[in-house]
Amino acid sequence: KEATIKTVNPATNEVVKSFKEMTEQVIEAAIFGADKAYQNWKKTSFDERANLLHKVASLMRKKKDTLAKLITLEMGKLLKESQGEIDLSADILDYYADHGETFLADKVLDPEYGEAIIRNSPIGVLLGVMPWNFPFYQVARFAAPNIMVGNTILLKHASNVPQCAAAIEKLFKEAEAPEGLYTNLFITGKHASALVSDKRIKGVSLTGSEEAGASLAEAAGKNLKKSVLELGGSDAFIVLEDADMDKTVEWAVVGRMNNTGQCCVASKRFIVVEAVADEFLKKFKEKLSTLKVGDPMDENTQLGPLSSEEAAVHIEDQVKRSVASGAKILLGGKRIDRKGAYMEATILTDIIPGVPAYYEELFGPVASFYRVKDEAAAIELANDSPFGLGGSIFTNDIERGKKVADQIDTGMVFINHPTWTKEDLPFGGTKRSGYGRELSELGIQEFVNKKLIRVS
Ligand code: NDP
């Protein structure tokens, strides 16, 4: 049987390395080990937990070049983006090491009589199911806060980034993490959902597609376990008539093309008011049409491959179906004629309800352009989406931007910047984009037992 867990270089579509799925015995030993590790880890001091995270962070930085190359090899993002991802991941580890104790401090209540405190206690072994689009960052933002809490981690990574998955586990080993604190599982997605019923696993967190999220959350619901889901998005990028157009267009390119468009919070729907629509579209097209296509390992490349051949086939199909139902292609629209999972930078216009691009998430370098009458129409269109992850508003009037932000039905709204992520900003969505929050102080509160201790 053909291996499902493997490295395929998307710049060439060649299989580089295959891995075997773990046997039932190995998986049982992993869960046993994670539970055993928890029995000790829950008793450790914050200092001990922080020291470990700082060590892993410093190893990450030391090996930045090797790790970044692994990311680019397995999922094709530009090498400098991979390097940035390693830096951000190390920053997340340090951030929770530095602030975890404060975030988790006892909360002293003021009851009518006697004493009461809320103590943040760990809950046990957690299962993380993570995607390929940011193989280190996605893991860092789940594992770091929870290790600080005192929980232990089983990690099922996407099947196309096995070498990144193994490298993360190795970093913990090299940092002398206790055996069982962080364990990588080479298993399929379905198998991950099946594990949720194991009584030693106390909570699950998934970043990925709606289907995978629904499958894992269904298992969590059936087994009465807490879950956090970070799913797709179709962020609006709203341009109002008073925006600084040159800066806005620069951000539009970054917002759509970063990570070859494969971010849950990529700017996907460009909603521009009539007064500046032509100017925006002309400048946006100019910039997208000059991106230099090439090998993602080459520092001059500006447009690399998608993460896999399947991803490229899927987005080309979305474009074709959209055109068949009335959308127009202003730029691109086809696969690039070279080996690998390449797709042209594309702009679609004339998208109305019924066109697939209207409601489907476009996970790649394809921008949807919408011309609207005014601010009110922009807000209405932005909210007409099954997703509710991020979004951005471009205007020179910050107060106006904040008022518009208030009316956008998503978990995050950025003014004069595409939706972005930093260790100290909460991240997460509403509607079909999932629930729960990661990063910042909020991200450490998801898998804790907020235990009341009462003295009468
Ligand atoms: P998936 O959702 O299939 O993959 C994400 C993770 O979920 C992987 O580890 C995957 O494992 C796992 N998984 C898959 N099926 C199940 C299941 N039934 N139960 C539990 N875990 C499961 O994403 P794809 O790679 O297929 O990408 C498809 C689409 O998902 C994208 O086009 C995009 O729309 C969205 N996506 C969103 C991301 C985000 O950042 N929010 C990231 C990635 C994808 P395995 O690899 O073994 O299948």
Side-chain angles (χ1 to χ4, degrees):
K1 173 175 151 236
E2 205 196 330
T4 52
I5 302 174
K6 61 189 172 204
T7 305
V8 180
N9 180 357
T12 60
N13 286 343
E14 276 155 17
V15 178
V16 177
K17 201 169 175 180
S18 299
F19 293 77
K20 283 210 170 72
E21 277 173 46
M22 288 176 165
T23 62
E24 290 301 330
Q25 273 160 320
V26 174
I27 296 164
E28 167 52 34
I31 303 175
F32 177 84
D35 187 49
K36 191 162 167 231
Y38 171 65
Q39 303 310 328
N40 293 320
W41 192 248
K42 66 180 180 186
K43 297 181 200 145
T44 54
S45 66
F46 284 117
D47 278 348
E48 192 173 329
R49 298 174 197 169
N51 283 340
L52 174 71
L53 291 183
H54 279 314
K55 260 198 203 167
V56 176
S58 99
L59 282 168
M60 251 185 209
R61 291 196 182 95
K62 217 164 89 190
K63 295 171 184 236
K64 178 161 124 183
D65 285 337
T66 321
L67 298 174
K69 280 191 183 134
L70 217 45
I71 299 177
T72 297
L73 169 73
E74 293 199 297
M75 56 68 67
K77 78 173 70 179
L78 303 181
L79 187 59
K80 64 174 177 305
E81 291 177 348
S82 299
Q83 288 160 345
E85 181 180 338
I86 297 296
D87 286 336
L88 175 60
S89 306
D91 289 349
I92 292 170
L93 297 176
D94 281 341
Y95 172 80
Y96 281 111
D98 290 338
H99 300 284
E101 182 170 6
T102 313
F103 293 157
L104 297 168
D106 285 351
K107 181 164 186 208
V108 181
L109 303 181
D110 186 19
E112 197 182 341
Y113 60 88
E115 291 171 39
I117 58 169
I118 296 173
R119 175 148 303 162
N120 290 301
S121 308
I123 61 170
V125 181
L126 304 178
L127 173 65
V129 179
M130 294 297 146
W132 44 262
N133 62 343
F134 293 89
F136 279 73
Y137 157 83
Q138 302 280 16
V139 172
R141 70 182 188 172
F142 162 65
N146 284 304
I147 286 171
M148 237 13 233
V149 167
N151 296 321
T152 61
I153 307 291
L154 291 171
L155 204 293
K156 180 263 177 291
H157 219 319
S159 293
N160 57 336
V161 290
Q163 297 195 56
C164 289
I168 298 170
E169 185 185 58
K170 194 162 161 230
L171 288 171
F172 278 96
K173 283 217 168 80
E174 285 172 5
E176 294 170 328
E179 179 99 22
L181 178 82
Y182 180 100
T183 310
N184 176 56
L185 297 178
F186 277 142
I187 56 175
T188 60
K190 284 213 168 54
H191 202 149
S193 284
L195 283 189
V196 178
S197 63
D198 190 291
K199 65 179 190 307
R200 293 162 292 186
I201 293 174
K202 299 294 196 274
V204 295
S205 179
L206 178 139
T207 298
S209 62
E210 291 163 84
E211 297 75 34
S215 158
L216 197 77
E218 182 186 10
K222 225 181 238 166
N223 291 285
L224 305 174
K225 288 175 190 180
K226 169 85 190 261
S227 59
V228 166
L229 298 180
E230 205 271 273
L231 310 175
S234 192
D235 284 11
F237 182 108
I238 296 177
V239 186
L240 299 177
E241 62 283 351
D242 58 355
D244 176 331
M245 195 49 69
D246 288 334
K247 273 196 204 145
T248 300
V249 171
E250 261 167 47
W251 281 126
V253 174
V254 175
R256 179 63 283 194
M257 302 305 289
N258 177 43
N259 214 31
T260 324
Q262 302 162 113
C263 303
C264 43
V265 290
S267 311
K268 292 175 185 139
R269 296 179 296 141
F270 295 83
I271 302 175
V272 188
V273 296
E274 182 64 53
V276 290
D278 288 332
E279 185 189 356
F280 173 86
L281 199 54
K282 181 167 168 278
K283 291 183 168 165
F284 189 39
K285 182 185 168 186
E286 260 165 35
K287 284 220 184 295
L288 286 185
S289 58
T290 57
L291 295 177
K292 191 175 175 305
V293 177
D295 185 331
M297 293 285 183
D298 178 343
E299 62 177 32
N300 295 314
T301 299
Q302 293 170 312
L303 177 60
L306 289 170
S307 62
S308 67
E309 181 60 20
E310 297 76 44
V313 167
H314 177 60
I315 198 153
E316 193 198 19
D317 176 61
Q318 287 178 300
V319 170
K320 280 188 180 153
R321 284 189 288 115
S322 296
V323 170
S325 46
K328 297 207 168 71
I329 293 172
L330 181 72
L331 177 72
K334 301 187 303 297
R335 297 288 301 274
I336 295 172
D337 185 20
R338 60 181 283 154
K339 206 168 50 166
Y342 289 83
M343 173 76 192
E344 288 177 337
T346 298
I347 302 176
L348 290 177
T349 65
D350 298 82
I351 303 163
I352 52 168
V355 172
Y358 191 85
Y359 283 134
E360 289 181 18
E361 179 180 28
L362 296 171
F363 220 59
V366 179
S368 300
F369 173 81
Y370 298 86
R371 183 188 295 263
V372 291
K373 190 163 121 262
D374 55 15
E375 181 190 297
I379 296 167
E380 195 183 329
L381 180 55
N383 287 336
D384 187 16
S385 166
F387 299 106
L389 197 53
S392 49
I393 298 151
F394 289 77
T395 169
N396 271 341
D397 179 347
I398 301 300
E399 287 314 309
R400 181 183 182 193
K402 287 183 190 162
K403 278 190 203 132
V404 175
D406 243 2
Q407 299 168 74
I408 303 291
D409 201 3
T410 63
M412 300 168 276
V413 185
F414 282 60
I415 297 171
N416 292 332
H417 198 289
T419 319
W420 217 242
T421 182
K422 278 280 282 166
E423 61 278 7
D424 55 358
L425 299 175
F427 193 105
T430 59
K431 304 201 290 195
R432 292 187 71 86
S433 294
Y435 46 78
R437 289 293 179 271
E438 297 191 275
L439 297 173
S440 78
E441 180 168 358
L442 298 186
I444 204 169
Q445 310 288 356
E446 293 285 358
F447 295 103
V448 297
N449 171 15
K450 302 226 162 250
K451 186 191 289 178
L452 169 70
I453 299 179
R454 170 80 166 132
V455 183
S456 288

mmCIF file with all atom_site columns, all heavy atoms in Angstrom, residues 9-26:
data_model
loop_
_atom_site.group_PDB
_atom_site.id
_atom_site.type_symbol
_atom_site.label_atom_id
_atom_site.label_alt_id
_atom_site.label_comp_id
_atom_site.label_asym_id
_atom_site.label_entity_id
_atom_site.label_seq_id
_atom_site.pdbx_PDB_ins_code
_atom_site.Cartn_x
_atom_site.Cartn_y
_atom_site.Cartn_z
_atom_site.occupancy
_atom_site.B_iso_or_equiv
_atom_site.pdbx_formal_charge
_atom_site.auth_seq_id
_atom_site.auth_comp_id
_atom_site.auth_asym_id
_atom_site.auth_atom_id
_atom_site.pdbx_PDB_model_num
ATOM 1   N N   . ASN A 1 9  ? 8.239  17.017 -2.425 1.00 0.00 ? 9  ASN A N   1
ATOM 2   C CA  . ASN A 1 9  ? 8.649  18.399 -2.684 1.00 0.00 ? 9  ASN A CA  1
ATOM 3   C C   . ASN A 1 9  ? 7.687  19.033 -3.698 1.00 0.00 ? 9  ASN A C   1
ATOM 4   O O   . ASN A 1 9  ? 7.678  18.641 -4.862 1.00 0.00 ? 9  ASN A O   1
ATOM 5   C CB  . ASN A 1 9  ? 10.087 18.387 -3.234 1.00 0.00 ? 9  ASN A CB  1
ATOM 6   C CG  . ASN A 1 9  ? 10.586 19.789 -3.526 1.00 0.00 ? 9  ASN A CG  1
ATOM 7   O OD1 . ASN A 1 9  ? 9.844  20.771 -3.373 1.00 0.00 ? 9  ASN A OD1 1
ATOM 8   N ND2 . ASN A 1 9  ? 11.839 19.903 -3.934 1.00 0.00 ? 9  ASN A ND2 1
ATOM 9   N N   . PRO A 1 10 ? 6.877  20.031 -3.274 1.00 0.00 ? 10 PRO A N   1
ATOM 10  C CA  . PRO A 1 10 ? 5.887  20.571 -4.215 1.00 0.00 ? 10 PRO A CA  1
ATOM 11  C C   . PRO A 1 10 ? 6.510  21.390 -5.344 1.00 0.00 ? 10 PRO A C   1
ATOM 12  O O   . PRO A 1 10 ? 5.833  21.691 -6.327 1.00 0.00 ? 10 PRO A O   1
ATOM 13  C CB  . PRO A 1 10 ? 4.991  21.436 -3.331 1.00 0.00 ? 10 PRO A CB  1
ATOM 14  C CG  . PRO A 1 10 ? 5.803  21.767 -2.137 1.00 0.00 ? 10 PRO A CG  1
ATOM 15  C CD  . PRO A 1 10 ? 6.798  20.677 -1.944 1.00 0.00 ? 10 PRO A CD  1
ATOM 16  N N   . ALA A 1 11 ? 7.797  21.734 -5.205 1.00 0.00 ? 11 ALA A N   1
ATOM 17  C CA  . ALA A 1 11 ? 8.455  22.471 -6.300 1.00 0.00 ? 11 ALA A CA  1
ATOM 18  C C   . ALA A 1 11 ? 8.775  21.535 -7.461 1.00 0.00 ? 11 ALA A C   1
ATOM 19  O O   . ALA A 1 11 ? 9.040  21.988 -8.578 1.00 0.00 ? 11 ALA A O   1
ATOM 20  C CB  . ALA A 1 11 ? 9.716  23.152 -5.784 1.00 0.00 ? 11 ALA A CB  1
ATOM 21  N N   . THR A 1 12 ? 8.769  20.223 -7.194 1.00 0.00 ? 12 THR A N   1
ATOM 22  C CA  . THR A 1 12 ? 9.071  19.250 -8.266 1.00 0.00 ? 12 THR A CA  1
ATOM 23  C C   . THR A 1 12 ? 8.045  18.119 -8.342 1.00 0.00 ? 12 THR A C   1
ATOM 24  O O   . THR A 1 12 ? 8.033  17.348 -9.292 1.00 0.00 ? 12 THR A O   1
ATOM 25  C CB  . THR A 1 12 ? 10.441 18.585 -8.000 1.00 0.00 ? 12 THR A CB  1
ATOM 26  O OG1 . THR A 1 12 ? 10.362 17.902 -6.727 1.00 0.00 ? 12 THR A OG1 1
ATOM 27  C CG2 . THR A 1 12 ? 11.579 19.595 -7.976 1.00 0.00 ? 12 THR A CG2 1
ATOM 28  N N   . ASN A 1 13 ? 7.216  17.990 -7.298 1.00 0.00 ? 13 ASN A N   1
ATOM 29  C CA  . ASN A 1 13 ? 6.275  16.877 -7.136 1.00 0.00 ? 13 ASN A CA  1
ATOM 30  C C   . ASN A 1 13 ? 6.964  15.520 -6.994 1.00 0.00 ? 13 ASN A C   1
ATOM 31  O O   . ASN A 1 13 ? 6.365  14.478 -7.262 1.00 0.00 ? 13 ASN A O   1
ATOM 32  C CB  . ASN A 1 13 ? 5.252  16.837 -8.285 1.00 0.00 ? 13 ASN A CB  1
ATOM 33  C CG  . ASN A 1 13 ? 4.213  17.945 -8.139 1.00 0.00 ? 13 ASN A CG  1
ATOM 34  O OD1 . ASN A 1 13 ? 4.064  18.516 -7.062 1.00 0.00 ? 13 ASN A OD1 1
ATOM 35  N ND2 . ASN A 1 13 ? 3.522  18.261 -9.214 1.00 0.00 ? 13 ASN A ND2 1
ATOM 36  N N   . GLU A 1 14 ? 8.236  15.527 -6.590 1.00 0.00 ? 14 GLU A N   1
ATOM 37  C CA  . GLU A 1 14 ? 8.931  14.251 -6.373 1.00 0.00 ? 14 GLU A CA  1
ATOM 38  C C   . GLU A 1 14 ? 8.830  13.811 -4.914 1.00 0.00 ? 14 GLU A C   1
ATOM 39  O O   . GLU A 1 14 ? 8.931  14.632 -3.994 1.00 0.00 ? 14 GLU A O   1
ATOM 40  C CB  . GLU A 1 14 ? 10.412 14.393 -6.752 1.00 0.00 ? 14 GLU A CB  1
ATOM 41  C CG  . GLU A 1 14 ? 10.626 14.204 -8.245 1.00 0.00 ? 14 GLU A CG  1
ATOM 42  C CD  . GLU A 1 14 ? 11.884 14.911 -8.746 1.00 0.00 ? 14 GLU A CD  1
ATOM 43  O OE1 . GLU A 1 14 ? 12.747 15.265 -7.921 1.00 0.00 ? 14 GLU A OE1 1
ATOM 44  O OE2 . GLU A 1 14 ? 11.953 15.117 -9.977 1.00 0.00 ? 14 GLU A OE2 1
ATOM 45  N N   . VAL A 1 15 ? 8.637  12.494 -4.736 1.00 0.00 ? 15 VAL A N   1
ATOM 46  C CA  . VAL A 1 15 ? 8.590  11.945 -3.375 1.00 0.00 ? 15 VAL A CA  1
ATOM 47  C C   . VAL A 1 15 ? 10.016 11.919 -2.835 1.00 0.00 ? 15 VAL A C   1
ATOM 48  O O   . VAL A 1 15 ? 10.929 11.390 -3.469 1.00 0.00 ? 15 VAL A O   1
ATOM 49  C CB  . VAL A 1 15 ? 8.009  10.517 -3.371 1.00 0.00 ? 15 VAL A CB  1
ATOM 50  C CG1 . VAL A 1 15 ? 8.002  9.938  -1.951 1.00 0.00 ? 15 VAL A CG1 1
ATOM 51  C CG2 . VAL A 1 15 ? 6.593  10.521 -3.946 1.00 0.00 ? 15 VAL A CG2 1
ATOM 52  N N   . VAL A 1 16 ? 10.203 12.525 -1.658 1.00 0.00 ? 16 VAL A N   1
ATOM 53  C CA  . VAL A 1 16 ? 11.547 12.618 -1.079 1.00 0.00 ? 16 VAL A CA  1
ATOM 54  C C   . VAL A 1 16 ? 11.756 11.533 -0.023 1.00 0.00 ? 16 VAL A C   1
ATOM 55  O O   . VAL A 1 16 ? 12.796 10.904 0.035  1.00 0.00 ? 16 VAL A O   1
ATOM 56  C CB  . VAL A 1 16 ? 11.740 14.019 -0.438 1.00 0.00 ? 16 VAL A CB  1
ATOM 57  C CG1 . VAL A 1 16 ? 13.101 14.133 0.241  1.00 0.00 ? 16 VAL A CG1 1
ATOM 58  C CG2 . VAL A 1 16 ? 11.573 15.110 -1.487 1.00 0.00 ? 16 VAL A CG2 1
ATOM 59  N N   . LYS A 1 17 ? 10.729 11.316 0.798  1.00 0.00 ? 17 LYS A N   1
ATOM 60  C CA  . LYS A 1 17 ? 10.886 10.367 1.904  1.00 0.00 ? 17 LYS A CA  1
ATOM 61  C C   . LYS A 1 17 ? 9.507  9.920  2.393  1.00 0.00 ? 17 LYS A C   1
ATOM 62  O O   . LYS A 1 17 ? 8.611  10.751 2.524  1.00 0.00 ? 17 LYS A O   1
ATOM 63  C CB  . LYS A 1 17 ? 11.634 11.078 3.049  1.00 0.00 ? 17 LYS A CB  1
ATOM 64  C CG  . LYS A 1 17 ? 12.294 10.153 4.031  1.00 0.00 ? 17 LYS A CG  1
ATOM 65  C CD  . LYS A 1 17 ? 13.209 10.949 4.945  1.00 0.00 ? 17 LYS A CD  1
ATOM 66  C CE  . LYS A 1 17 ? 13.776 10.033 6.023  1.00 0.00 ? 17 LYS A CE  1
ATOM 67  N NZ  . LYS A 1 17 ? 14.662 10.731 6.936  1.00 0.00 ? 17 LYS A NZ  1
ATOM 68  N N   . SER A 1 18 ? 9.380  8.619  2.659  1.00 0.00 ? 18 SER A N   1
ATOM 69  C CA  . SER A 1 18 ? 8.101  8.101  3.166  1.00 0.00 ? 18 SER A CA  1
ATOM 70  C C   . SER A 1 18 ? 8.253  7.601  4.595  1.00 0.00 ? 18 SER A C   1
ATOM 71  O O   . SER A 1 18 ? 9.337  7.190  5.004  1.00 0.00 ? 18 SER A O   1
ATOM 72  C CB  . SER A 1 18 ? 7.622  6.931  2.300  1.00 0.00 ? 18 SER A CB  1
ATOM 73  O OG  . SER A 1 18 ? 7.438  7.375  1.002  1.00 0.00 ? 18 SER A OG  1
ATOM 74  N N   . PHE A 1 19 ? 7.160  7.641  5.319  1.00 0.00 ? 19 PHE A N   1
ATOM 75  C CA  . PHE A 1 19 ? 7.172  7.199  6.715  1.00 0.00 ? 19 PHE A CA  1
ATOM 76  C C   . PHE A 1 19 ? 6.052  6.189  6.935  1.00 0.00 ? 19 PHE A C   1
ATOM 77  O O   . PHE A 1 19 ? 5.007  6.273  6.287  1.00 0.00 ? 19 PHE A O   1
ATOM 78  C CB  . PHE A 1 19 ? 6.956  8.408  7.645  1.00 0.00 ? 19 PHE A CB  1
ATOM 79  C CG  . PHE A 1 19 ? 8.089  9.388  7.621  1.00 0.00 ? 19 PHE A CG  1
ATOM 80  C CD1 . PHE A 1 19 ? 8.232  10.273 6.549  1.00 0.00 ? 19 PHE A CD1 1
ATOM 81  C CD2 . PHE A 1 19 ? 9.020  9.415  8.635  1.00 0.00 ? 19 PHE A CD2 1
ATOM 82  C CE1 . PHE A 1 19 ? 9.284  11.173 6.504  1.00 0.00 ? 19 PHE A CE1 1
ATOM 83  C CE2 . PHE A 1 19 ? 10.079 10.322 8.607  1.00 0.00 ? 19 PHE A CE2 1
ATOM 84  C CZ  . PHE A 1 19 ? 10.211 11.197 7.537  1.00 0.00 ? 19 PHE A CZ  1
ATOM 85  N N   . LYS A 1 20 ? 6.295  5.268  7.856  1.00 0.00 ? 20 LYS A N   1
ATOM 86  C CA  . LYS A 1 20 ? 5.259  4.264  8.156  1.00 0.00 ? 20 LYS A CA  1
ATOM 87  C C   . LYS A 1 20 ? 4.307  4.809  9.214  1.00 0.00 ? 20 LYS A C   1
ATOM 88  O O   . LYS A 1 20 ? 4.725  5.485  10.149 1.00 0.00 ? 20 LYS A O   1
ATOM 89  C CB  . LYS A 1 20 ? 5.926  3.004  8.719  1.00 0.00 ? 20 LYS A CB  1
ATOM 90  C CG  . LYS A 1 20 ? 6.576  2.143  7.658  1.00 0.00 ? 20 LYS A CG  1
ATOM 91  C CD  . LYS A 1 20 ? 6.531  0.657  8.123  1.00 0.00 ? 20 LYS A CD  1
ATOM 92  C CE  . LYS A 1 20 ? 6.946  -0.254 7.006  1.00 0.00 ? 20 LYS A CE  1
ATOM 93  N NZ  . LYS A 1 20 ? 8.396  -0.170 6.723  1.00 0.00 ? 20 LYS A NZ  1
ATOM 94  N N   . GLU A 1 21 ? 3.025  4.465  9.032  1.00 0.00 ? 21 GLU A N   1
ATOM 95  C CA  . GLU A 1 21 ? 2.071  4.791  10.102 1.00 0.00 ? 21 GLU A CA  1
ATOM 96  C C   . GLU A 1 21 ? 2.423  3.985  11.341 1.00 0.00 ? 21 GLU A C   1
ATOM 97  O O   . GLU A 1 21 ? 2.852  2.840  11.225 1.00 0.00 ? 21 GLU A O   1
ATOM 98  C CB  . GLU A 1 21 ? 0.655  4.412  9.659  1.00 0.00 ? 21 GLU A CB  1
ATOM 99  C CG  . GLU A 1 21 ? 0.014  5.468  8.805  1.00 0.00 ? 21 GLU A CG  1
ATOM 100 C CD  . GLU A 1 21 ? -1.324 5.006  8.236  1.00 0.00 ? 21 GLU A CD  1
ATOM 101 O OE1 . GLU A 1 21 ? -2.117 4.448  8.998  1.00 0.00 ? 21 GLU A OE1 1
ATOM 102 O OE2 . GLU A 1 21 ? -1.520 5.184  7.020  1.00 0.00 ? 21 GLU A OE2 1
ATOM 103 N N   . MET A 1 22 ? 2.202  4.563  12.503 1.00 0.00 ? 22 MET A N   1
ATOM 104 C CA  . MET A 1 22 ? 2.521  3.843  13.738 1.00 0.00 ? 22 MET A CA  1
ATOM 105 C C   . MET A 1 22 ? 1.542  2.692  13.958 1.00 0.00 ? 22 MET A C   1
ATOM 106 O O   . MET A 1 22 ? 0.372  2.792  13.594 1.00 0.00 ? 22 MET A O   1
ATOM 107 C CB  . MET A 1 22 ? 2.450  4.807  14.918 1.00 0.00 ? 22 MET A CB  1
ATOM 108 C CG  . MET A 1 22 ? 3.603  5.785  14.914 1.00 0.00 ? 22 MET A CG  1
ATOM 109 S SD  . MET A 1 22 ? 3.409  6.980  16.251 1.00 0.00 ? 22 MET A SD  1
ATOM 110 C CE  . MET A 1 22 ? 5.067  7.655  16.295 1.00 0.00 ? 22 MET A CE  1
ATOM 111 N N   . THR A 1 23 ? 2.043  1.643  14.575 1.00 0.00 ? 23 THR A N   1
ATOM 112 C CA  . THR A 1 23 ? 1.176  0.497  14.888 1.00 0.00 ? 23 THR A CA  1
ATOM 113 C C   . THR A 1 23 ? 0.363  0.817  16.146 1.00 0.00 ? 23 THR A C   1
ATOM 114 O O   . THR A 1 23 ? 0.696  1.739  16.903 1.00 0.00 ? 23 THR A O   1
ATOM 115 C CB  . THR A 1 23 ? 2.013  -0.759 15.176 1.00 0.00 ? 23 THR A CB  1
ATOM 116 O OG1 . THR A 1 23 ? 2.825  -0.480 16.332 1.00 0.00 ? 23 THR A OG1 1
ATOM 117 C CG2 . THR A 1 23 ? 2.910  -1.128 13.995 1.00 0.00 ? 23 THR A CG2 1
ATOM 118 N N   . GLU A 1 24 ? -0.675 0.027  16.372 1.00 0.00 ? 24 GLU A N   1
ATOM 119 C CA  . GLU A 1 24 ? -1.507 0.206  17.570 1.00 0.00 ? 24 GLU A CA  1
ATOM 120 C C   . GLU A 1 24 ? -0.671 0.161  18.851 1.00 0.00 ? 24 GLU A C   1
ATOM 121 O O   . GLU A 1 24 ? -0.906 0.915  19.789 1.00 0.00 ? 24 GLU A O   1
ATOM 122 C CB  . GLU A 1 24 ? -2.603 -0.872 17.635 1.00 0.00 ? 24 GLU A CB  1
ATOM 123 C CG  . GLU A 1 24 ? -3.687 -0.712 16.580 1.00 0.00 ? 24 GLU A CG  1
ATOM 124 C CD  . GLU A 1 24 ? -4.427 0.617  16.660 1.00 0.00 ? 24 GLU A CD  1
ATOM 125 O OE1 . GLU A 1 24 ? -4.563 1.175  17.759 1.00 0.00 ? 24 GLU A OE1 1
ATOM 126 O OE2 . GLU A 1 24 ? -4.860 1.101  15.587 1.00 0.00 ? 24 GLU A OE2 1
ATOM 127 N N   . GLN A 1 25 ? 0.313  -0.745 18.849 1.00 0.00 ? 25 GLN A N   1
ATOM 128 C CA  . GLN A 1 25 ? 1.153  -0.879 20.060 1.00 0.00 ? 25 GLN A CA  1
ATOM 129 C C   . GLN A 1 25 ? 1.962  0.382  20.332 1.00 0.00 ? 25 GLN A C   1
ATOM 130 O O   . GLN A 1 25 ? 2.083  0.822  21.477 1.00 0.00 ? 25 GLN A O   1
ATOM 131 C CB  . GLN A 1 25 ? 2.141  -2.026 19.887 1.00 0.00 ? 25 GLN A CB  1
ATOM 132 C CG  . GLN A 1 25 ? 1.585  -3.362 20.293 1.00 0.00 ? 25 GLN A CG  1
ATOM 133 C CD  . GLN A 1 25 ? 2.393  -4.479 19.667 1.00 0.00 ? 25 GLN A CD  1
ATOM 134 O OE1 . GLN A 1 25 ? 2.796  -4.379 18.504 1.00 0.00 ? 25 GLN A OE1 1
ATOM 135 N NE2 . GLN A 1 25 ? 2.643  -5.525 20.431 1.00 0.00 ? 25 GLN A NE2 1
ATOM 136 N N   . VAL A 1 26 ? 2.519  0.939  19.256 1.00 0.00 ? 26 VAL A N   1
ATOM 137 C CA  . VAL A 1 26 ? 3.333  2.151  19.421 1.00 0.00 ? 26 VAL A CA  1
ATOM 138 C C   . VAL A 1 26 ? 2.442  3.317  19.879 1.00 0.00 ? 26 VAL A C   1
ATOM 139 O O   . VAL A 1 26 ? 2.829  4.118  20.743 1.00 0.00 ? 26 VAL A O   1
ATOM 140 C CB  . VAL A 1 26 ? 4.074  2.486  18.100 1.00 0.00 ? 26 VAL A CB  1
ATOM 141 C CG1 . VAL A 1 26 ? 4.799  3.821  18.193 1.00 0.00 ? 26 VAL A CG1 1
ATOM 142 C CG2 . VAL A 1 26 ? 5.048  1.376  17.737 1.00 0.00 ? 26 VAL A CG2 1
#
